[in-house]
């Protein structure tokens, strides 16, 4: 490697670092906006966010940056690079090449359209009227199709959208997996709903707990999960989220306003799962590079679902945590039957709202949205028919029908923000989580007894080694394949669900 | 004005806006660092702050920016500008001209030296040993002298430092005012200390109040001061401060850990005074310009001291607030004598630590530092003699002597951060506050009865009209002169003190 290439390398690393640092500042702007910002600060905040986006975008599409990246990517230069530099340059080249396909005016049109569309979605929700959102959704769909034209991956248009959230995943593969999944989930759900236990279960079963107690409980569970106090925060926002301000500054939020303390408890566990992943990203030569990131949203979601469903809804876990949980309840509300409690927190019942869905029915909500998205993008589905399609499919998959648009097509904000191709990553996360859990069980014969002792550290260590430390060195599915033997595999997820839920409902 | 000048104007306003928005982002970084940031976030935060400084600095010293500013400043162009544009361009030209005098390598050397010096100051405090800080202070003094060479104002070197905090103020003027002030303050203090009342007063008189109650009390007082809830925040930090993230997002902090709830109460009032000023800056054509800012630290401090001392330590105020304050105290700690309480919160006694000093003795601490700073900069004072000079002067001015360096020369962080010329602004603020109060009294014959009703809005309205709305359209002293008839005037301050404290101590 001659002097010029050293210069290119140092330029490229410096630019990547600036982008990463700007990303952390952007995360702070977003975190503050959702947690502590006074309401009238909103105008200035949008100026701040817009300026930061501009600064990042200038850097991403800078010709000098691209010149140095392409110089380093030439085979005769590339082969002289260290392995870590090769990994960085290769991944960076893919990212920047993709970003450079998007015209600047398109980025501006999307920013404007999504702002208007989000406002229209809020108005439509207030009036409970999809028709107010419909023309904006049409604009979004057209813009997304235009985007697909720029990215232009082989295969269906939707592949180009999916790639933005789940790099390497294809529409074809998802269609195949989701067809298997949908059929089997419906069957499991029918089996459960036919049981005597399902017949007599009560859906509303709220336990009173003050916000302060819920907060203490949240702090206790994240401490048990080894979320380091000195590198994290737990705050409150309307919708729970996780954000990274830096490799040692990862923040999660929850919400204590719901009647049921289980919302804050499980959402805290979920976000803490995301946070542990963020804190486990590779550093050293990969600090402030494109490698110190998740390879997909699906694998990110696998980490949150893993902790939420496989650990915090696990019977062994509650054998440990049951007495602790009781200390947060008033003497008049003490729980006394572990088995009843375990069934309660794993209750299955079809519901209209995705974010309130249980572990079993959740993916049916996702598959419904995936099918609609594919239909909207390939043009087989008319935007005017959406509420009707939604109602028919809800009825077919879950046996229930939304009475209003808020209970149906208006419930999620994703489309209003231009996020099409995002929903399937939730189901991918559920499947990956089950695959990882099966593998962890295989490699750890005493897993149940470890969990029963409240010792969650070996689990974190295992996830660090098999998932976290790889960052974006591999595609998500390759990380799963290397660890679990197969790529995305609905069958493993289905087996996990049957082994868990059939005994629960005495099927 | 031809097309080219329109282009220059729009360029200049766009750059100013970017600088202002970057400033708001920087304020958020600083606020978060002092309030909520997890400790391990510090490394990434310094990367973020450094990048933001770099982005701002690049814009400030940009040749294109300077070209457009000088184009607009040419007499034949300047005279065609609107009045508001003239004000902006004139002030901006002065700022940028000054910034361009400083070489880039100097900025970097200062950043490095102050980081090391601050760390050395912390180490020196831990060991209670000035000699550990001394060599770093030497470096700082040398750098400050170098800075004076770049700025190169006529008159003593110290003028160039002062100008950075108190534009337009001179060493000569301060020496004159501070000489009068020092002599008179010592005399008032002697008179008070000779009284029987002083003889029997108890210095430690703490009232128990939980942090939660202190917080509620703080919220009550800032509400009474008309600090708008939707554009402000009150949080907790080690040292109280005020910061502006935007014209409608101004945040203050306090601290509830001291034994005495009066610390959080008066510091909240103090910071709220700063915040009201920030919220009152001129907007419209001046939004995001150099005009929407305070013309000096002294006048900023006058606003905080005004609310803290002239209002919240005023007897009329407590005639209103006494019963309210009692609601925050346990039934066993109820206050029952307003006169005793009024004397308690205005107690005078010489003390070693500036930030704990009362209203009367405070300026003596400041004058001591000013004299030392001038001596260090003009070379009449040897850095090795500092502890001795400090002790001698404390003894002369206040009749007490620090036993250790922490009680003396190591107590303030200002010098370690390269802030020399900052201290006098505290005394200037006290003087301006008294001048404004006297004028307000003159214009408002029923002021006492207004305050006695807890109606503080007319006071805010008066400050908005006479101080806030001018932003940086005028120098601080001109704002005071236009309102009060005289510029910096120690005599007014001294009269105020005598009229307040002589009756208090039955002198």
């Amino acid at each position: 490697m001659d002097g010029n290439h050293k210069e290119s390398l140092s330029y490229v690393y410096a630019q990547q670092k600036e982008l990463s640092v700007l990303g952390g500042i952007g995360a702070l702007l977003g975190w503050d906006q959702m947690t502590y910002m006074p309401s009238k600060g909103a105008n200035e905040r949008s100026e701040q966010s817009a300026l930061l986006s501009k600064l990042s975008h200038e850097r991403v599409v800078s010709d000098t940056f691209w010149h140095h990246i392409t110089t380093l990517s030439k085979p005769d230069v590339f082969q002289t690079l260290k392995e870590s530099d090769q990994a960085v340059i290769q991944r960076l080249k893919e990212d920047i090449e993709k970003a450079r396909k998007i015209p600047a005016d398109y980025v501006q049109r999307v920013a404007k359209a999504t702002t208007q569309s989000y406002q229209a979605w809020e108005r439509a929700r207030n009036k409970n009227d999809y028709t107010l959102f419909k023309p904006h959704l049409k604009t979004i769909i057209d813009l997304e199709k235009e985007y697909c034209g720029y990215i232009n991956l082989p295969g269906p248009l939707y592949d180009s959208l999916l790639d933005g959230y789940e790099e390497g995943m294809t529409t074809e593969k998802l269609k195949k997996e989701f067809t298997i999944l949908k059929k089997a989930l419906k069957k499991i759900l029918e089996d459960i709903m036919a049981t005597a236990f399902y017949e007599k279960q009560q859906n509303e079963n709220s336990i009173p707990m003050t916000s302060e107690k819920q907060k203490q409980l949240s702090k206790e569970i994240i401490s048990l999960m080894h979320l380091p106090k000195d590198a994290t925060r737990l705050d409150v926002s309307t919708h729970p989220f996780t954000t990274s301000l830096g490799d040692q500054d990862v923040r999660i939020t929850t919400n204590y306003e719901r009647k049921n303390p289980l919302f804050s408890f499980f959402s805290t566990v979920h976000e803490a799962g995301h946070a542990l992943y963020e804190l486990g990203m590779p550093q050293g030569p990969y600090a402030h590079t494109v490698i110190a990131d998740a390879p997909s949203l699906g694998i990110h979601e696998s980490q949150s679902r893993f902790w939420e469903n496989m650990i915090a809804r696990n019977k062994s876990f509650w054998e440990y945590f049951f007495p602790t949980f009781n200390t947060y309840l008033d003497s008049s509300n003490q729980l006394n039957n572990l088995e009843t409690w375990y069934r309660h927190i794993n209750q299955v019942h079809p519901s209209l709202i995705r974010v309130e869905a249980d572990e079993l029915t959740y993916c049916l909500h996702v598959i419904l949205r995936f099918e609609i998205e594919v239909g909207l993008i390939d043009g087989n589905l008319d935007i005017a028919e959406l509420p009707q399609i939604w109602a028919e499919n809800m009825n077919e998959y879950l046996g229930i029908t939304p009475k209003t648009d808020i209970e149906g097509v208006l419930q999620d904000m994703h489309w209003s923000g231009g996020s099409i191709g995002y929903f399937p990553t939730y189901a991918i996360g559920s499947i990956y989580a089950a695959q990882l859990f099966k593998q962890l069980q295989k490699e750890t014969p005493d897993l149940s007894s470890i969990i029963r002792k409240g010792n969650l550290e070996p689990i974190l260590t295992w996830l660090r080694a098999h998932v976290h430390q790889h960052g974006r060195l591999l595609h998500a599915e390759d990380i799963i394949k290397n660890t679990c033997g197969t790529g995305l595999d609905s069958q493993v997820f289905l087996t996990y669900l049957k082994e868990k839920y059939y005994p629960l409902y005495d099927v």
Side-chain angles (χ1 to χ4, degrees), chain A:
Chain A
M1 190 168 63
D2 67 19
N4 268 351
H5 303 144
K6 272 193 188 156
E7 208 178 283
S8 286
L9 256 189
S10 89
Y11 185 92
V12 163
Y13 274 91
Q15 283 291 103
Q16 263 188 116
K17 183 170 175 181
E18 282 206 359
L19 278 166
S20 162
V21 173
L22 287 172
I25 297 173
L28 174 60
L29 292 175
W31 172 83
D32 181 72
Q33 186 166 358
M34 297 299 173
T35 51
Y36 295 114
M37 186 184 78
S39 58
K40 282 194 173 167
N43 280 343
E44 190 67 14
R45 183 55 43 90
S46 68
E47 298 278 2
Q48 293 162 349
S49 298
L51 176 57
L52 215 62
S53 297
K54 193 190 99 171
L55 293 170
S56 290
H57 186 72
E58 283 169 4
R59 279 155 181 75
V60 165
V61 300
S62 141
D63 289 336
T64 315
F65 192 29
W66 183 237
H67 164 75
H68 289 300
I69 292 168
T70 49
T71 300
L72 294 165
S73 303
K74 283 177 195 150
D76 56 323
V77 181
F78 190 79
Q79 67 185 9
T80 67
L81 300 179
K82 278 191 304 198
E83 199 182 335
S84 59
D85 290 336
Q86 288 184 339
V88 168
I89 297 302
Q90 191 183 331
R91 189 47 63 118
L92 186 61
K93 181 162 182 262
E94 290 163 14
D95 286 1
I96 302 298
E97 196 161 28
K98 192 169 172 180
R100 289 174 68 90
K101 288 179 179 173
I102 316 299
D105 83 287
Y106 175 80
V107 175
Q108 283 162 21
R109 279 185 288 131
V110 165
K112 202 174 159 188
T114 51
T115 302
Q116 290 174 350
S117 167
Y118 176 76
Q119 288 164 353
W121 173 74
E122 284 194 316
R123 275 198 309 275
R125 277 177 66 87
N126 285 336
K127 304 263 181 191
N128 205 347
D129 181 0
Y130 168 68
T131 60
L132 297 175
F133 178 51
K134 198 175 62 176
H136 294 272
L137 181 56
K138 172 80 170 59
T139 308
I140 297 286
I141 298 294
D142 290 343
L143 284 166
E144 294 287 282
K145 284 182 183 171
E146 186 181 338
Y147 175 86
C148 296
Y150 299 129
I151 301 299
N152 203 21
L153 290 188
L157 285 183
Y158 192 77
D159 275 7
S160 293
L161 297 178
L162 202 48
D163 198 66
Y165 306 101
E166 197 68 33
E167 211 178 344
M169 187 52 65
T170 64
T171 313
E172 195 190 343
K173 183 169 229 160
L174 282 187
K175 276 187 176 169
K176 184 177 146 266
E177 291 294 327
F178 285 179
T179 304
I180 300 168
L181 197 56
K182 183 167 65 174
K183 198 177 156 195
L185 286 176
K186 281 170 64 181
K187 172 70 170 63
I188 300 173
L189 185 59
E190 277 165 25
D191 292 345
I192 284 173
M193 290 176 73
T195 63
F197 189 79
Y198 181 86
E199 197 62 31
K200 61 176 203 263
Q201 86 181 0
Q202 288 173 340
N203 290 343
E204 289 305 322
N205 211 353
S206 166
I207 313 153
M209 195 186 288
T210 64
S211 294
E212 188 48 42
K213 288 271 183 193
Q214 288 186 51
K215 188 173 165 182
Q216 287 168 22
L217 176 62
S218 286
K219 295 209 166 192
E220 173 134 16
I221 185 63
I222 61 182
S223 164
L224 196 64
M225 287 171 70
H226 295 276
L227 203 66
K229 259 190 185 173
D230 52 4
T232 57
R233 286 196 54 82
L234 172 67
D235 295 280
V236 169
S237 64
T238 308
H239 304 289
F241 67 90
T242 301
T243 189
S244 283
L245 283 70
D247 63 308
Q248 292 292 302
D249 187 351
V250 178
R251 307 183 182 188
I252 66 172
T253 67
T254 184
N255 192 299
Y256 308 115
E257 283 173 21
R258 319 281 173 121
K259 280 187 213 142
N260 198 330
L262 290 180
F263 177 83
S264 64
F265 180 78
F266 285 113
S267 81
T268 298
V269 172
H270 181 100
E271 301 305 332
H274 281 305
L276 287 171
Y277 187 20
E278 288 290 318
L279 289 163
M281 291 298 164
Q283 295 298 317
Y286 298 122
H288 290 117
T289 74
V290 285
I291 299 297
D293 204 350
S296 85
L297 291 189
I299 200 160
H300 221 310
E301 191 72 6
S302 79
Q303 298 305 293
S304 54
R305 303 240 156 224
F306 184 95
W307 287 98
E308 181 190 349
N309 291 330
M310 282 71 187
I311 306 302
R313 284 196 169 90
N314 186 299
K315 193 162 176 190
S316 302
F317 171 76
W318 283 98
E319 285 174 31
Y320 169 77
F321 203 65
F322 198 62
T324 307
F325 190 82
N326 255 331
T327 64
Y328 290 90
L329 298 173
D330 290 343
S331 54
S332 58
N333 290 304
Q334 292 291 299
L335 304 169
N336 46 37
N337 187 319
L338 175 61
E339 183 63 28
T340 307
W341 177 248
Y342 174 58
R343 289 185 180 215
H344 172 66
I345 61 169
N346 285 293
Q347 221 172 50
V348 170
H349 62 99
S351 63
L352 293 165
I353 307 298
R354 177 184 59 85
V355 295
E356 294 170 6
D358 55 74
E359 186 182 14
L360 182 78
T361 57
Y362 187 82
C363 286
L364 290 170
H365 292 263
V366 172
I367 292 168
L368 178 144
R369 285 155 179 76
F370 166 74
E371 290 168 344
I372 287 175
E373 287 185 342
V374 172
L376 289 171
I377 296 298
D378 69 17
N380 287 330
L381 200 151
D382 182 354
I383 222 160
E385 294 168 17
L386 228 65
Q388 194 192 328
I389 298 281
W390 191 288
E392 285 170 11
N393 289 359
M394 277 301 285
N395 193 43
E396 188 194 330
Y397 304 167
L398 287 158
I400 49 177
T401 314
K403 284 187 206 70
T404 67
D405 291 338
I406 283 190
E407 289 179 344
V409 65
L410 288 179
Q411 69 182 267
D412 299 303
M413 65 179 288
H414 299 60
W415 293 343
S416 77
S419 295
I420 294 185
Y422 188 123
F423 280 123
T425 69
Y426 292 129
I428 294 169
S430 296
I431 298 168
Y432 284 165
Q435 292 183 256
L436 290 167
F437 188 58
K438 182 189 166 192
Q439 187 61 29
L440 172 65
Q441 282 178 313
K442 199 185 282 180
E443 294 181 22
T444 320
D446 59 341
L447 184 63
S448 293
S449 79
I450 287 173
I451 296 175
R452 205 173 291 123
K453 285 177 192 137
N455 177 14
L456 306 182
E457 201 170 10
I459 299 171
L460 175 57
T461 305
W462 191 87
L463 291 171
R464 287 253 185 277
H466 291 87
V467 180
H468 303 183
Q469 69 160 352
H470 298 302
R472 283 181 78 204
L473 285 167
L474 300 169
H475 278 177
E477 200 173 11
D478 290 330
I479 291 174
I480 298 298
K481 198 181 282 173
N482 290 349
T483 295
C484 309
T486 55
L488 188 69
D489 192 343
S490 298
Q491 291 300 355
V492 178
F493 179 45
L494 288 166
T495 304
Y496 157 80
L497 289 174
K498 279 186 269 191
E499 285 175 2
K500 175 171 179 180
Y501 286 93
Y502 280 170
L504 259 165
Y505 279 88
D506 310 319
V507 174

